[in-house]
Amino acid sequence: MASSNLHIVVVTTLVVVASMHFSTTTAATSYLVGGANGWHLPSNPHHYEEWAKGKKFVKGDQFFFIYKKEEHNVAYVKRKEDFDKCNITAVDYVYKSGGVPSWIFNEVEIVYFICTIHCAKGQKVVIDVKAS
Ligand SMILES: *[C@@H]1O[C@H](CO)[C@@H](O)[C@H](O)[C@H]1NC(C)=O
């Protein structure tokens, strides 16, 4: 069993709110959340805010989180106030199994992702999903 050095990237797609809209004509875009460095502890606490700024996220877009499961996780909270305060108690779901989880949003909504460990240091992002 010499598999300990194998780096197996498991791509897991979690489709949140899986209602399909076949009438849409907008081409979906894939995003690597945070850019090339992925989901990490940023040296600049506004890193993810700046990453999202100027991007227009629309229904059907897919968001990939590349992260080290030993150091981080991908969690979400429903309310802005919990996001702003990094209220870990309010976390609705924590993804910490590694791989490259991704989400597709098929509704107009605002989604708040945090790392429960480093939220206060800026590892948090708002995904504002527009209709088109
Ligand atoms: C944090 O979230 C929990 C669960 O939703 C809530 O009961 C609590 O009041 C929140 N704490 C703060 C400081 O907002």
Side-chain angles (χ1 to χ4, degrees), residues 4-41:
S4 59
N5 289 328
L6 285 178
H7 294 270
I8 300 169
V9 176
V10 179
V11 177
T12 308
T13 301
L14 302 177
V15 179
V16 176
V17 190
S19 58
M20 302 294 285
H21 296 275
F22 293 108
S23 60
T24 183
T25 52
T26 315
T29 306
S30 294
Y31 291 99
L32 181 53
V33 175
N37 288 330
W39 188 236
H40 66 292
L41 178 58

Side-chain angles (χ1 to χ4, degrees), residues 65-132:
F65 288 79
I66 291 185
Y67 73 106
K68 292 183 182 154
K69 69 175 179 185
E70 300 79 13
E71 295 170 28
H72 308 294
N73 58 48
V74 187
Y76 52 81
V77 293
K78 282 184 180 153
R79 298 181 306 175
K80 183 180 186 299
E81 58 192 281
D82 293 321
F83 176 83
D84 290 342
K85 291 181 202 157
C86 291
N87 184 355
I88 305 306
T89 315
V91 162
D92 213 44
Y93 185 79
V94 186
Y95 194 89
K96 51 188 173 186
S97 316
V100 183
S102 72
W103 279 263
I104 296 172
F105 302 104
N106 286 315
E107 299 293 337
V108 172
E109 60 184 318
I110 300 176
V111 193
Y112 303 98
F113 284 103
I114 67 170
C115 168
T116 60
I117 306 157
H118 304 112
C119 178
K121 290 181 176 166
Q123 195 175 359
K124 57 197 291 200
V125 69
V126 182
I127 307 285
D128 188 353
V129 184
K130 307 281 192 197
S132 58

